[in-house]
Amino acid sequence: MGIDEIKELINLDLCVQENLEIRHNEKNALKLNLENEKRELSEEAWAKIKEKVKQSKLELDEQIKMNEALNKKFLDENIKKLEDIYNNKYDEWVELLFNKCID
């Protein structure tokens, strides 16, 4: 092997090293970009999930309020019915109890 061939081999090695360093830097840049994009997508996904949970909570709160109103109305109606039954039957019950006691 002559000196020219050795110089050419050294130059070729230097070129390969430069290309290798460039590719290595490109790979690291792509890796960093990929990680950043992955993080951004994850943050977007979590933001969407949090918004959906918030919306579901608002809908459930509204449904609970509606159910509370219906339950209160149902309770008030039944209390009124029981009071009416009590008021209508009071004299009859008192007489019935009195008769049971004296018999």
Side-chain angles (χ1 to χ4, degrees):
M1 209 184 252
I3 291 184
D4 288 339
E5 293 170 332
I6 293 174
K7 285 182 179 178
E8 189 178 322
L9 189 59
I10 290 172
N11 285 336
L12 181 63
D13 184 54
L14 290 174
C15 285
V16 169
Q17 284 182 12
E18 283 179 23
N19 282 336
L20 185 62
E21 185 176 345
I22 290 170
R23 299 298 176 250
H24 181 71
N25 289 339
E26 288 175 353
K27 178 185 145 199
N28 286 339
L30 288 172
K31 203 175 192 182
L32 183 62
N33 287 340
L34 182 63
E35 288 174 8
N36 287 338
E37 191 172 327
K38 190 193 281 186
R39 182 178 33 81
E40 288 174 9
L41 289 173
S42 179
E43 288 172 356
E44 288 176 20
W46 277 112
K48 287 179 183 177
I49 290 169
K50 287 179 182 178
E51 182 60 33
K52 190 170 184 175
V53 167
K54 181 180 175 184
Q55 188 63 32
S56 294
K57 185 181 181 305
L58 291 174
E59 290 172 6
L60 289 172
D61 286 345
E62 186 63 31
Q63 189 176 7
I64 288 170
K65 286 179 185 177
M66 288 175 39
N67 285 341
E68 284 178 350
L70 290 173
N71 288 340
K72 178 153 180 29
K73 180 181 175 187
F74 178 77
L75 179 64
D76 291 343
E77 288 173 357
N78 283 309
I79 287 174
K80 176 69 174 134
K81 287 178 186 177
L82 288 173
E83 286 175 345
D84 289 344
I85 290 171
Y86 175 80
N87 290 334
N88 290 336
K89 298 283 186 167
Y90 178 79
D91 291 335
E92 181 183 332
W93 291 339
V94 167
E95 185 177 332
L96 181 67
L97 284 173
F98 178 76
N99 288 336
K100 290 284 184 182
C101 289
I102 60 171
D103 284 339

